[in-house]
Amino acid sequence: MENLVIQTEKLSEWVNEIIKKNKVFAPVKETDFSNFKIVNDYSEIDLSFLLPMVPAKKILFKQTETLFLFTPGSKGEVKSKEISDEKLVIFSIRSCDAKTFSILDPVFLGDYVDPFYKKRRENSILIGLSCNKPNVNCFCTSFGDSPASRDYVDILLTDLDGKYLVEIVTERGKKFIDDYKKFFASASKEDLESKEKVEKLAIEGITRKMKLEGVSEKLGKMFEHPIWYENAMKCIGCGTCTFVCPTCHCFDMQDESTLREGARIRVWDSCMYPEYTHHASGHNPRPARMNRVRNRIYHKFSYYPTNENIVGCTGCGRCIDYCSVNIDIIDIINEVGEAKL
Amino acid sequence: MVDQKQLIKTAKEIVSREDVKYIVGYKQGTYGFVTSPAFAYTPEDVESFIYNPLCKKNLAVYPILEEKLPLKRGEEEDKRKIGLVVKGCDSRALVQIIQEKGLVREDLVIIGIPCKGVIDLKKIEKRFPNQTEVVDVEENDNSEYIIKIGDTVHTIPKEELLSEVCKSCEFPNPPLYDFLMGEEVEVREKEVYSGLRGLDETPIEERWAYWEKHFQNCIRCYACREACPLCYCKTCMADMLDPQWIRRSVNLSENTAWNIMRAFHLAGRCISCGECESVCPANIPLMELNKKLEKDVKEMFKYTAGLDTEEKTLFGTFNPDDPNEFIM
Amino acid sequence: MMIQEQKGEFEPNIIGFLCNWCSYAGADLAGTSRIQYPPNIRIIKVMCSGRVNPMFVVNALQQGADGVLIGGCHPGDCHYQSGNYLARRRMAVLKVLLEQLGIEPDRVKMTWVSAAEGKKFAQVIEEVTRDIKKLGPMKKIRRDNEW
């Protein structure tokens, strides 16, 4: 589709214009990391961090979601929760975070359609930002993606030093950008070439590689392999890997109420906790850390590819960055590839 | 500097013993500056053990993570000992757990390391960003770290990379051990923990603004709890549903309640290893709470955690002359 | 439900955890002796001040209390020998923690009232109410209950 450019100094004007009509989520600097937050002015945005701590999944699949409201007691009533129809814009989403949604779609829009996710998904425009300088643990290239991938966003920005290349990827993106035509100029051939250069440099910057060939099938045969014991021994079961993972989507449902009103809420949960699979009977089908670590890997690299035909990992590397005991998903998968059956 | 050969030799001897199940030490991580806990079941496994100032992880968490799974018929419980490599604070954690009867001394074989302080991973990663290759770090006698990256050698003053908790460490030598690696080290000149400096002058509203900002970032992953060697309750109050002490929804009120609960339950127990803070993905300065409680508990009740396995716990005992001024 | 702000003046909600043997009996005595004291306190009877988990206090503050009072027997008089001493330690530490977090530690009050001290009980309640009134409503960690 169309390629445009915007001068860096015009970017703030454009974003502020978007903010007028939409709810804009963008990375905001917290103490020494960034997080997606609703911004009211471009000045709040900080693009210097590569990845926000909590991935963009939290915008469509909130950590705490109210499912419905009720009044407790014998004359209790159930009221449905209204789903806001506001237009969302996720600004400066990286390609790995944007890929999240194509992985989560089968879960939330599959057999059962989650109305909250669906509404937000339909209402959101993803404005991507290419990574010029990937992190140590980035490995999106292992999945055939690129740090400047156009595949999962509506509009892709690429920082070309002084100006941004604006690639319009989808129809929705085109429609969206039509309102803001005045900020852009057409992209020249040089601009596209310099993007290619930037992209190539970024790809070269990604040094870690996960070898995925045949892993999914191989995992099917090594459920009881000793590598799970070896890797799980050091796991402390903190669950951080699942909270910062862009594709982990397990949740728990709870009732919260006062004497007069209450709500059923949905909160993120983690398969790394023993409580997650704890039955009311007292039995726990995943009693040991080994079972849980194995399940995390299997879910992403075996069950998900089998059921949905897509690997449940985007290669953002957050789980490696935040793991305090150096459980390294790249290493584990490479070990699986090399393991003797 | 701890002699790595001596460490490996001792560890090998321990792991060859029949009454030892495995020994936990450190090994090189998979990228950059990270180190990884290593489990050795045989003397060959011990070969990968290392010890350098990057070995920050508190390994005292592992004996309490041992799962006691239901046994199959005819199976017998493996009652062999666990070996551990511990620094001063880690050893104090063990003392504290033994004091609370969470572990039995006889179940542990402890290799103590007189610790000169460890590097804060966040600081060194900020200094040398995007370090993929595994890096070797050593400490010389002039309080400097020698960091070899590729062919370049960086010499950096220790103070710049040292963990904040280590700067105010009072007990670098393990109080409890079976084997001590090298000579005991001198206790550093006493320094007030950086997070507590100037605190008394901070007005109360400013303090709340500070914590409000931090607690809003809490994602309630409970990594602080799991990484803490002293958080070993079978069922945490935060996980209970009836009564539900804190709600699961993630908002400022519940996040604060959780953090009050965590900090309170560590009062008089925290041994200042700084593990909670370093695992926190939201960088909440949890040690500022722990350190403050440690300091005030010491002042009010003359109590220091993790020094004597026979001592009574802070809240399990009392003194009729405890502070009384706040009673109306 | 709650005493709301009446005619511009703030009326605090105060939760009192009173021990069964002394403070609660003291409150009883204040009542039967017809001593007047502010109606701001909501009493929850516990068997001993040592029963009061610090999370009770935090939870009360979360659920709309502006202050919490813990009442026990005088030192040495505890029905269970040492419950009040243990409670005193805990509350001392909790107050330190609250202060560190920027939550006014004065919202947590503790008192020793014996079964014979109806008058003292009324005085304590007056004092507590006055103090909490000065501090104003507790909003920092209150649940908003908006879903």
Side-chain angles (χ1 to χ4, degrees):
Chain A
M1 226 169 265
E2 221 178 328
N3 297 318
L4 305 167
V5 285
I6 184 168
Q7 299 301 319
T8 303
E9 61 269 16
K10 281 248 179 94
L11 192 67
S12 58
E13 280 176 48
W14 176 43
V15 173
N16 283 336
E17 202 65 29
I18 300 176
I19 289 171
K20 281 183 195 159
K21 286 188 212 152
N22 303 276
K23 203 173 183 180
V24 177
F25 287 86
V28 171
K29 184 176 191 260
E30 300 293 350
T31 47
D32 51 357
F33 58 93
S34 71
N35 252 343
F36 277 114
K37 283 204 166 164
I38 300 165
V39 289
N40 297 314
D41 190 78
Y42 182 79
S43 57
E44 294 166 33
I45 302 175
D46 189 336
L47 298 180
S48 58
F49 295 90
L50 189 77
L51 289 173
M53 188 259 283
V54 186
K57 74 170 174 187
K58 76 160 188 185
I59 300 167
L60 303 198
F61 167 45
K62 284 190 188 172
Q63 181 158 14
T64 314
E65 180 100 71
T66 308
L67 301 175
F68 59 81
L69 306 160
F70 60 81
T71 43
S74 52
K75 286 181 191 153
E77 274 173 41
V78 172
K79 271 186 290 177
S80 60
K81 166 91 181 167
E82 237 176 85
I83 309 170
S84 154
D85 196 27
E86 59 206 345
K87 300 276 175 238
L88 307 176
V89 171
I90 307 178
F91 181 74
S92 175
I93 186 170
R94 306 287 181 177
S95 82
C96 49
D97 267 10
K99 191 183 180 183
T100 302
F101 302 122
S102 60
I103 295 174
L104 292 184
D105 282 348
V107 181
F108 291 107
L109 306 176
D111 295 341
Y112 174 79
V113 178
D114 179 68
F116 302 93
Y117 180 89
K118 183 165 179 264
K119 191 84 190 178
R120 292 192 197 118
R121 182 88 166 106
E122 281 165 0
N123 277 348
S124 58
I125 295 277
L126 308 184
I127 304 182
L129 180 64
S130 312
C131 319
N132 293 12
K133 251 188 153 180
N135 269 350
V136 183
N137 292 319
C138 284
F139 60 105
C140 58
T141 45
S142 301
F143 301 100
D145 292 321
S146 146
S149 168
R150 299 155 40 109
D151 292 353
Y152 314 103
V153 292
D154 296 311
I155 298 160
L156 179 71
L157 307 182
T158 309
D159 189 352
L160 298 179
D161 214 12
K163 59 185 164 186
Y164 283 87
L165 176 71
V166 182
E167 291 169 86
I168 300 166
V169 186
T170 61
E171 273 305 324
R172 291 175 62 198
K174 187 168 162 40
K175 247 176 110 185
F176 177 80
I177 218 126
D178 277 346
D179 291 349
Y180 308 100
K181 272 279 175 211
K182 60 175 177 187
F183 297 102
F184 304 99
S186 283
S188 64
K189 217 174 135 203
E190 288 81 54
D191 292 331
L192 290 175
E193 275 164 14
S194 42
K195 189 226 162 172
E196 257 169 50
K197 253 186 236 158
V198 167
E199 183 170 5
K200 195 162 161 272
L201 264 175
I203 291 174
E204 279 164 10
I206 296 180
T207 44
R208 305 204 64 186
K209 175 132 184 75
M210 184 186 262
K211 298 185 194 94
L212 280 161
E213 299 84 39
V215 162
S216 172
E217 295 77 47
K218 202 166 174 189
L219 280 172
K221 293 176 217 150
M222 50 193 297
F223 201 65
E224 293 294 336
H225 201 276
I227 72 163
W228 305 121
Y229 292 93
E230 285 160 24
N231 279 302
M233 276 311 275
K234 62 183 177 184
C235 177
I236 56 170
C238 71
T240 306
C241 47
T242 56
F243 279 80
V244 298
C245 176
T247 67
C248 276
H249 50 260
C250 292
F251 54 81
D252 187 15
M253 280 188 269
Q254 302 238 330
D255 286 355
E256 285 184 353
S257 63
T258 63
L259 292 172
R260 286 178 297 181
E261 50 181 355
R264 177 153 303 170
I265 56 150
R266 178 173 75 189
V267 284
W268 290 358
D269 202 350
S270 167
C271 61
M272 302 309 282
Y273 300 148
E275 293 80 43
Y276 179 75
T277 44
H278 205 165
H279 294 180
S281 67
H283 173 67
N284 194 343
R286 284 188 216 133
R289 278 172 290 157
M290 167 268 188
N291 306 80
R292 300 192 281 272
V293 171
R294 181 176 63 191
N295 179 69
R296 183 167 78 91
I297 308 287
Y298 266 71
H299 190 201
K300 295 192 185 318
F301 293 94
S302 173
Y303 311 146
Y304 222 82
T306 315
N307 297 338
E308 316 291 354
N309 235 341
I310 182 167
V311 180
C313 173
T314 68
C316 70
R318 282 188 183 91
C319 58
I320 312 172
D321 287 338
Y322 289 102
C323 184
S324 69
V325 293
N326 192 220
I327 292 179
D328 191 325
I329 202 162
I330 303 179
D331 251 40
I332 293 178
I333 294 300
N334 291 348
E335 256 179 68
V336 167
E338 288 158 18
K340 285 193 193 100
L341 294 177
Chain B
M1 196 63 211
V2 174
D3 186 358
Q4 214 151 284
K5 278 184 194 140
Q6 190 197 356
L7 174 71
I8 290 177
K9 188 166 158 271
T10 321
K12 272 186 181 170
E13 278 164 20
I14 293 170
V15 86
S16 330
R17 278 162 50 176
E18 239 165 52
D19 61 340
V20 174
K21 209 186 308 185
Y22 55 79
I23 181 160
V24 196
Y26 300 93
K27 71 177 178 193
Q28 201 62 260
T30 53
Y31 66 96
F33 299 99
V34 296
T35 53
S36 160
F39 286 72
Y41 298 84
T42 61
E44 290 78 61
D45 296 343
V46 175
E47 288 295 341
S48 65
F49 274 22
I50 56 158
Y51 187 81
N52 64 32
L54 288 170
C55 300
K56 182 170 193 303
K57 184 80 204 154
N58 188 340
L59 302 180
V61 73
Y62 286 109
I64 53 168
L65 280 177
E66 264 297 287
E67 283 132 347
K68 299 229 166 19
L69 300 179
L71 298 169
K72 286 179 190 142
R73 194 176 297 159
E75 235 176 18
E76 256 182 61
E77 200 188 331
D78 190 346
K79 283 190 173 154
R80 288 177 298 165
K81 299 172 191 227
I82 296 173
L84 277 178
V85 177
V86 294
K87 304 180 291 290
C89 46
D90 313 349
S91 174
R92 283 178 67 207
L94 291 176
V95 171
Q96 188 63 28
I97 302 170
I98 293 167
Q99 187 190 101
E100 296 164 2
K101 315 250 184 297
L103 281 174
V104 181
R105 172 70 182 92
E106 286 68 42
D107 288 350
L108 304 169
V109 185
I110 307 168
I111 302 182
I113 289 178
C115 172
K116 285 183 164 177
V118 289
I119 293 176
D120 187 335
L121 197 64
K122 283 168 187 162
K123 284 187 190 171
I124 197 167
E125 281 182 346
K126 208 173 235 176
R127 188 82 186 241
F128 302 100
N130 283 9
Q131 192 56 47
T132 319
E133 291 298 307
V134 171
V135 180
D136 201 28
V137 177
E138 272 177 41
E139 186 181 338
N140 67 11
D141 295 331
N142 299 332
S143 291
E144 284 166 335
Y145 288 126
I146 301 169
I147 301 168
K148 284 181 211 132
I149 299 177
D151 295 328
T152 15
V153 179
H154 302 263
T155 313
I156 291 175
K158 191 170 164 179
E159 296 300 308
E160 286 179 27
L161 298 178
L162 195 63
S163 282
E164 288 302 318
V165 276
C166 295
K167 287 184 185 170
S168 59
C169 177
E170 289 175 62
F171 305 97
N173 297 304
L176 186 73
Y177 58 82
D178 293 307
F179 304 91
L180 192 67
M181 298 294 103
E183 300 282 302
E184 293 208 342
V185 293
E186 268 177 54
V187 181
R188 289 168 58 90
E189 228 171 279
K190 222 178 145 191
E191 198 176 302
V192 181
Y193 181 66
S194 56
L196 296 187
R197 277 177 228 149
L199 190 84
D200 295 336
E201 290 92 67
T202 326
I204 203 143
E205 288 307 318
E206 234 169 79
R207 290 188 203 189
W208 173 246
Y210 175 76
W211 287 105
E212 187 181 17
K213 195 164 143 258
H214 280 298
F215 289 159
Q216 255 158 3
N217 290 336
C218 176
I219 53 169
R220 297 269 288 286
C221 60
Y222 301 133
C224 42
R225 171 183 81 186
E226 305 296 340
C228 178
L230 290 156
C231 269
Y232 60 87
C233 290
K234 222 170 180 182
T235 309
C236 177
M237 271 169 79
D239 289 333
M240 283 187 200
L241 292 175
D242 194 16
Q244 190 170 36
W245 293 91
I246 46 171
R247 287 181 183 167
R248 289 281 170 88
S249 47
V250 179
N251 55 42
L252 183 64
S253 172
E254 308 301 328
N255 293 359
T256 311
W258 155 248
N259 279 288
I260 292 176
M261 183 153 108
R262 191 204 62 82
F264 186 85
H265 286 169
L266 284 164
R269 303 174 65 229
C270 172
I271 41 74
S272 299
C273 63
E275 204 57 41
C276 49
E277 188 176 297
S278 68
V279 298
C280 180
N283 288 351
I284 302 173
L286 296 166
M287 280 313 289
E288 286 177 23
L289 299 177
N290 295 344
K291 275 283 184 186
K292 169 76 177 164
L293 290 183
E294 180 187 89
K295 181 172 151 268
D296 281 30
V297 160
K298 198 172 172 183
E299 280 165 15
M300 288 193 288
F301 310 113
K302 296 172 190 59
Y303 185 94
T304 308
L307 293 180
D308 182 2
T309 52
E310 299 301 319
E311 204 175 357
K312 285 240 175 82
T313 54
L314 174 72
F315 289 133
T317 179
F318 67 92
N319 182 345
D321 302 326
D322 279 344
N324 205 29
E325 307 80 55
F326 64 94
I327 308 282
M328 298 178 71
Chain C
M1 266 298 279
M2 288 176 198
I3 305 169
Q4 291 304 339
E5 286 156 47
Q6 295 162 345
K7 287 177 194 164
E9 203 189 346
F10 162 64
E11 289 293 340
N13 280 301
I14 298 163
I15 298 289
F17 292 104
L18 304 186
C19 97
N20 181 48
W21 306 99
C22 297
S23 303
Y24 192 82
D28 221 12
L29 182 64
T32 46
S33 317
R34 310 205 170 179
I35 306 171
Q36 292 272 338
Y37 61 82
N40 301 63
I41 189 156
R42 303 296 133 100
I43 294 172
I44 296 172
K45 182 162 79 173
V46 288
M47 286 310 280
C48 175
S49 53
R51 170 69 182 94
V52 181
N53 190 316
M55 284 312 286
F56 287 5
V57 178
V58 176
N59 206 276
L61 294 177
Q62 270 186 294
Q63 294 202 46
D66 300 299
V68 178
L69 173 73
I70 296 132
C73 308
H74 281 279
D77 288 354
C78 176
H79 188 79
Y80 307 100
Q81 321 308 353
S82 59
N84 51 358
Y85 283 124
L86 294 170
R88 183 171 65 181
R89 265 199 173 187
R90 273 178 226 149
M91 292 311 147
V93 173
L94 180 68
K95 281 165 87 85
V96 169
L97 182 57
L98 291 181
E99 192 183 1
Q100 166 77 338
L101 289 171
I103 298 165
E104 301 84 356
D106 272 353
R107 292 192 187 273
V108 184
K109 301 273 192 183
M110 200 165 187
T111 184
W112 309 140
V113 173
S114 83
E117 293 174 325
K119 215 168 179 185
K120 184 182 174 188
F121 181 79
Q123 275 168 8
V124 165
I125 301 304
E126 257 170 43
E127 214 177 301
V128 170
T129 313
R130 203 184 54 226
D131 287 3
I132 306 287
K133 229 179 224 180
K134 247 184 257 164
L135 288 172
M138 166 71 190
K139 288 192 176 142
K140 286 168 185 164
I141 65 166
R142 184 172 292 181
R143 283 176 178 159
D144 55 11
N145 288 329
E146 275 168 23
W147 289 288

